Amino acid sequence: MKRSGMFESVRSSFGAKLGVALLAVVALVVGFGFVVQEETSAALEDEVRNELGTSAETRAAELDTWISGIEGQVRLHSTRSVIASGDTAAISRHLTETAERDALPEGVVAIHYYDTEERTIQASSMPRMEGVNPAEAGAPFATDPPTFEGTDDTHVTAPFTVPVVDFPVVSVISLVEGTEGKALIYMIDLKSHTESFARTAGQGSTVVVDGEGRIVAHPESERLLTDYEGDVSALSGGFEEQEDLLVAGAEMQTLEWTVLARSDRATAYALGDRITSFVVGLILLALVSLAFVGVVVGSNTIVSLRQLAGRADAMAKGDLDVDLSTTRTDEFGTLYRSFDEMRGELRSQIRATEEKKEAIERKNQTLEATAAEYGTVMDAVADGDLTRRLDTDTEHEAMADIAASFNQMLDAVSETMGEVKAFSEHVVTAAERVDDGADEVMDASSQVTTATTEISDGAERQTEALHEVSTEMDALSSSAEEIAATVDEVAQASERAAEVGEEGQEHAERAIEEMDAVEQTTTETAEEVTALAEELDAVSEVVDVITDIAAETNLLALNASIEAARTGEEGDGFAVVADEVKQLAEETAESAAEIEDRIDRIQARAGETTTAMTETQARIESGVETVEAAIDALDNVATAVDETDSSIQEIRDATAQQASSATSVVDRVDDVAAIGDQTAEEATDAAAAAQQQTSTMTTVSDAAEQLTEQARELRTVLEDFTVDERAGSSEFSADTGVDPGGNGSVPATNGSGSDAGLRADGFDPADPRARNGDGAGGD
Amino acid sequence: MEFSTTLWLWVGVAGMTAGTLPTAYRLLLGGENRDLSAVLFGITGIAAVAYLIMAFGYGTITVAGSSVEIVRYTDWLLTTPLMVLYLALLSQPGRRVIGALVAVDAVVIVAGVAATAAGGITRYLLFGVGTLAYLVLVWLLVRTLPRRASFASTRQESAFVTLRNLTVVVWTLYPVVWLLAPTGVGLLLPETQVLVFTYLDIVSKVGFVAVALRGMRDLATAETELGVGAD
């Protein structure tokens, strides 16, 4: 589903299609670029391998040539007569000369004449080497002497170092012919030779490894005679890629040495990298170009198409004035012009259609005019002028037919209308008679109603009067009950009065006792007061005595003071005492006078008190008399109350009897009132019936009036119709003429239509109420 | 004739100069849409100067052992916001969106410079940051800008869509080249990288200016037609 959806979305979009196509091209370019790069790289690598292998082999052959050259020369040299002579001095001279003449092969730095049995170098081109014991120095040809098959055989030693020289040495040894154990040794300076050898292999370098895995030749001389870290045997004739080196190996023919041609990996593959870079660059350039073209052309095309589609849509929706101008001259320009032409064509077609439409509209207009004319005539006909006719002289056949048919119809209608008119006249007359009859019935009915209403009113008034009597009796009964209740209360009150009278008597008797007690006490008090006055007289005599004493004392004091004055100064103290005594006597006299005054006043009061007492006694005596009179009066009251009580009892009995009589009267009156109510109700029912009858008759009358009105209206309406005089008048003229108009009934021969009409208005001749009403009217 | 880095840079100088001439001419003549013309002039003009400097061999500095083409990145840091600004001027999306566009664009370029200068894992982390910012920029250009845009005419919209698509598609190739170049896996040698970048620059800038100028001419024509229609 998802895939098909994606497929659909690509199918429906030009941009997506273009994008997919461009992506396909890009994928193709990238894919092919990848193939080219892979192929080129593979070919290039093969090339590099082959080249390196060849280089290794060449170098090995070179080294072979060099070594075998030296071997040949050693062999040849050893056959020289000087060497074979055994004359050490001569040999030494010869070797030195040879070295000086530069006749030695490349790389050979010295020649030694060596005695294998004594193991000493007997002569040498290097004088310091003469007499040296190589075995002591550790030269392998001395410590481990090689075996020779003959004088033509040579031996190449493994590289070694000796203390005498500061470089690694390889020696080539050949036995001297015709001597016993003498050998000629060429000493090769490995360092100086291999350094140049190792470096001359193009951009790379050469390494030589001997059979024991030691480096014999290396561009870096310090690595000579160190162990080679790789597996040499695997490399002989093979190829190996190390971290940043490519190595190819080749074995030497003459020795068990392996020559390794090495090349810097980056340098070796530089061309490949450049090609890869160019291929990738080319792909990217193609990609950029495709992207640019695709985006510009694609976006432009899509936008142009969308705009054109938008304008086509607008045209499809009726807007023919869209802008279709363009400055483009390509296919889009053509498309725009095509659309423009199409629009022109559309416009002309639309114009033609509009012309046709106008013709039809004109025809419609004449039709409409005819129709309007017909309409006017028909309106007149509708208004009642049945004399008008449609004009059949028109260009439309259908319209002419319509006119003819209509005219025919009008003829028929006109005739019918005349008949209807005559009939309506007849109906009016009949209905007027019915109306009159109904009015009479109604009047009679109204009179009945009035009479019945009067009866009803009378009964109602009677009932009301009875109700009033009943109410009055109720009131009477209740007032009698109230009187009984009041009499009870009065009885109770008189009882309470009798009780109060008795209580008053008791209280009056107690008052008399109290008053007697007061009188006695008052008499006692008066005696006491008289006694007090006598006592006070005695006190007054004592005070007189004191007054006399005080006067004498005063006189004494005066005398004393005179006596003191006479005695002079010595009597001063006595004078003071006399003075004081005099003062005391005076004060005592004053106090005595005061006491006497008081006693006089008390005695006066006592006199007054005694008089008051006497008065009180007299009053009490009169009070006692009054109280005794009151007791007598109260006795009389009690007697009167008893009498009142018995009278009240009699009144109560009478009242109760009165109340029960009133209740029975009320019951009777209620019965009478109920009868009155019933009478009133029945009278009301009778009045209602009479009223209903009246209203029914009113309905009848209204109906008859309505019928008359409608018959009149019909007549008026029919009068609007203008009909030929002859139409329909003959049939009814005879009937109206014959009917005397006596009872209002329409003859059955022609009245079925009008009967139905009457019934429809609500008047049914069979209705019993209507008959009753009629009867009432008659009464 | 040797195909070298310098040669490609001189090609760049020539291409950018050629791309600058029409806008310079328009600016000298004056007339309508001077601001738009000025932005277009800035795009190829700055690039032409940058290529001239690089052609004379002053384009590179060494930062922490890595050589960084500082002039090229400066060129991008100035011209890419101008191109984004031109798109924004066409679509009138409002100040906030323009600000966001220019800011995100600057992040993309600065992250690229930093990634080139850095080494090891940091380099790819920064490259990731740049890629992320670039995706945001693409989202803004493809989604936000058209939604907020208020185009005066369909022709203007057409010009905007073409330029926007061109920018998005061609710019997407820059990180691809960056990854293929010595800055990434090293399949491209430096001289080829310079060639590809030069071509990309010419297409994205001169192509952009060319399409923009054509759109501007359409715009002018449309306005004239409208004027006639109103009569």
Side-chain angles (χ1 to χ4, degrees), chain A residues 19 36 42 120 232 243 335 385 410 543 595 637 650 691 711 721 758 764:
Chain A
V36 167
T120 49
V232 181
E243 275 180 24
L335 195 57
D385 187 2
L410 272 184
V543 170
I595 291 166
V637 168
E650 281 165 22
Q691 241 159 4
F721 286 100
L758 282 171
D764 187 354

Side-chain angles (χ1 to χ4, degrees), chain A residues 118-300:
Chain A
E118 289 180 12
R119 296 192 177 181
T120 49
I121 294 172
Q122 293 185 331
S124 172
S125 61
M126 263 185 201
R128 57 191 162 112
M129 296 291 283
E130 286 179 0
V132 168
N133 186 343
E136 287 170 7
F141 60 84
T143 54
D144 181 20
T147 51
F148 293 93
E149 288 169 7
T151 51
D152 286 343
D153 194 16
T154 55
H155 176 76
V156 181
T157 65
F160 62 92
T161 48
V162 285
V164 189
V165 290
D166 57 351
F167 46 81
V169 175
V170 171
S171 297
V172 182
I173 306 163
S174 176
L175 290 176
V176 179
E177 205 175 273
T179 59
E180 295 270 322
K182 301 285 191 293
L184 196 65
I185 299 174
Y186 270 36
M187 193 168 82
I188 301 169
D189 175 2
L190 206 54
K191 187 177 167 186
S192 69
H193 183 70
T194 55
E195 224 167 80
S196 59
F197 173 78
R199 280 180 186 158
T200 49
Q203 291 185 327
S205 60
T206 308
V207 172
V208 182
V209 182
D210 69 5
E212 293 165 18
R214 291 184 303 167
I215 295 172
V216 179
H218 199 278
E220 296 156 22
S221 54
E222 62 266 24
R223 293 201 57 186
L224 284 175
L225 298 186
T226 58
D227 285 335
Y228 184 71
E229 54 267 18
D231 181 12
V232 181
S233 57
L235 265 174
S236 59
F239 183 83
E240 190 183 64
E241 290 193 15
Q242 289 172 2
E243 275 180 24
D244 48 2
L245 284 176
L246 302 176
V247 185
E251 272 189 40
M252 280 176 62
Q253 303 277 324
T254 52
L255 298 168
E256 286 182 357
W257 289 6
T258 309
V259 177
L260 304 176
R262 304 192 307 172
S263 179
D264 185 36
R265 188 192 176 94
T267 321
Y269 287 150
L271 185 58
D273 287 345
R274 275 175 73 83
I275 288 169
T276 306
S277 168
F278 281 135
V279 168
V280 173
L282 196 64
I283 290 170
L284 285 171
L285 292 193
L287 202 61
V288 173
S289 308
L290 281 174
F292 179 69
V293 172
V295 167
V296 172
V297 172
S299 300
N300 200 13

Side-chain angles (χ1 to χ4, degrees), chain A residues 297-344:
Chain A
V297 172
S299 300
N300 200 13
T301 308
I302 290 165
V303 172
S304 297
L305 283 175
R306 274 189 198 152
Q307 285 172 359
L308 196 60
R311 280 157 205 188
D313 272 351
M315 273 165 63
K317 281 173 186 157
D319 179 14
L320 287 180
D321 295 327
V322 290
D323 176 27
L324 281 174
S325 61
T326 179
T327 50
R328 297 179 72 150
T329 51
D330 55 6
E331 285 81 352
F332 278 105
T334 315
L335 195 57
Y336 267 92
R337 280 187 288 284
S338 301
F339 266 103
D340 204 16
E341 282 167 22
M342 191 178 82
R343 176 166 65 178

Side-chain angles (χ1 to χ4, degrees), chain A residues 561-598:
Chain A
S561 66
I562 293 165
E563 210 57 41
R566 233 180 15 214
T567 29
E569 279 185 8
E570 282 174 2
D572 276 356
F574 191 72
V576 174
V577 174
D579 220 23
E580 278 181 13
V581 171
K582 188 189 164 194
Q583 277 175 2
L584 278 173
E586 281 168 1
E587 280 173 21
T588 308
E590 281 171 18
S591 297
E594 226 172 279
I595 291 166
E596 207 148 2
D597 280 354
R598 291 229 177 140

Side-chain angles (χ1 to χ4, degrees), chain A residues 38-104:
Chain A
E38 279 297 300
E39 285 291 313
T40 318
S41 293
L44 212 66
E45 273 179 34
D46 278 352
E47 188 99 334
V48 167
R49 282 177 191 216
N50 290 339
E51 201 175 291
L52 209 59
T54 313
S55 174
E57 279 165 17
T58 313
R59 301 301 282 170
E62 219 174 282
L63 216 53
D64 270 338
T65 314
W66 179 58
I67 294 289
S68 56
I70 292 172
E71 279 180 320
Q73 194 153 355
V74 170
R75 220 166 31 242
L76 198 66
H77 205 167
S78 67
T79 56
R80 290 281 288 273
S81 56
V82 182
I83 304 298
S85 68
D87 182 355
T88 315
I91 292 167
S92 177
R93 213 164 36 246
H94 164 74
L95 291 179
T96 311
E97 277 172 20
T98 311
E100 281 171 0
R101 270 192 289 127
D102 207 10
L104 298 176

Side-chain angles (χ1 to χ4, degrees), chain A residues 405-437:
Chain A
S405 300
F406 188 77
N407 288 345
Q408 217 172 338
M409 184 191 79
L410 272 184
D411 289 343
V413 168
S414 184
E415 197 172 337
T416 312
M417 200 50 75
E419 287 170 16
V420 170
K421 235 173 167 179
F423 173 67
S424 75
E425 291 287 345
H426 181 71
V427 170
V428 167
T429 321
E432 275 170 358
R433 273 184 223 136
V434 170
D435 193 21
D436 292 346

